[in-house]
């Protein structure tokens, strides 16, 4: 099972809301057997990505800083800004990025 890491400041408010929307989308697309979204505090993102090869996407409510971005790129993780799931603006495009990350990850297994 692949993981979509969803991070906000504390990991207890915004990121669970976004993770739930992503998980609902994955279920609607029949992809929930391949991947799931997990909410976490942003300060844990770098170590989680470095230690878990099943993380295929990072969804940050705020853009990643340079250090985190280096980790994202080094581990070939797709980065998606999480704001569209909060505002509804651009949500279809963001969902498509997640879908492509999930489908792309299954081709490499």
């Amino acid at each position: 099972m692949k993981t979509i890491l969803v991070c906000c400041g504390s990991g207890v408010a915004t990121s669970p809301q976004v993770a739930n929307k992503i998980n609902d989308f994955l279920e609607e697309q029949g992809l929930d057997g391949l991947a799931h979204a997990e909410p976490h505090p942003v300060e844990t993102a770098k170590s989680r990505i470095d230690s878990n090869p099943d993380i295929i996407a990072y969804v940050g409510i705020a853009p990643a800083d340079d250090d985190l971005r280096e980790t994202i790129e080094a581990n070939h993780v797709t980065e998606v800004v999480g704001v569209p799931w909060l505002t509804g603006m651009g949500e279809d495009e963001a969902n498509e990025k997640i879908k492509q990350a999930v489908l792309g990850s299954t081709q490499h297994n």
Side-chain angles (χ1 to χ4, degrees):
M1 174 81 63
K2 300 298 181 179
T3 301
I4 298 154
L5 187 64
V6 182
C7 294
C8 68
S10 65
V12 297
T14 308
S15 57
Q17 179 183 355
V18 172
N20 286 338
K21 287 187 173 189
I22 292 170
N23 285 328
D24 288 346
F25 170 75
L26 293 172
E27 184 176 358
E28 290 166 9
Q29 297 294 309
L31 299 172
D32 54 321
L34 301 175
H36 67 285
E38 293 181 0
H40 292 284
V42 70
E43 70 263 9
T44 67
K46 187 176 180 328
S47 63
R48 287 180 186 281
I49 292 169
D50 277 335
S51 65
N52 184 349
D54 287 330
I55 294 176
I56 58 167
Y58 168 80
V59 176
I61 305 312
D65 63 22
D66 290 342
D67 193 35
L68 179 53
R69 183 160 288 117
E70 283 181 27
T71 299
I72 290 167
E73 290 172 1
N75 289 279
H76 309 288
V77 171
T78 299
E79 182 181 6
V80 183
V81 176
V83 174
W85 287 283
L86 297 173
T87 65
M89 295 174 57
E91 189 171 350
D92 289 343
E93 294 87 351
N95 279 335
E96 185 61 27
K97 288 180 184 178
I98 293 297
K99 181 178 178 179
Q100 292 308 313
V102 172
L103 294 174
S105 73
T106 62
Q107 294 173 355
H108 296 106
N109 291 334

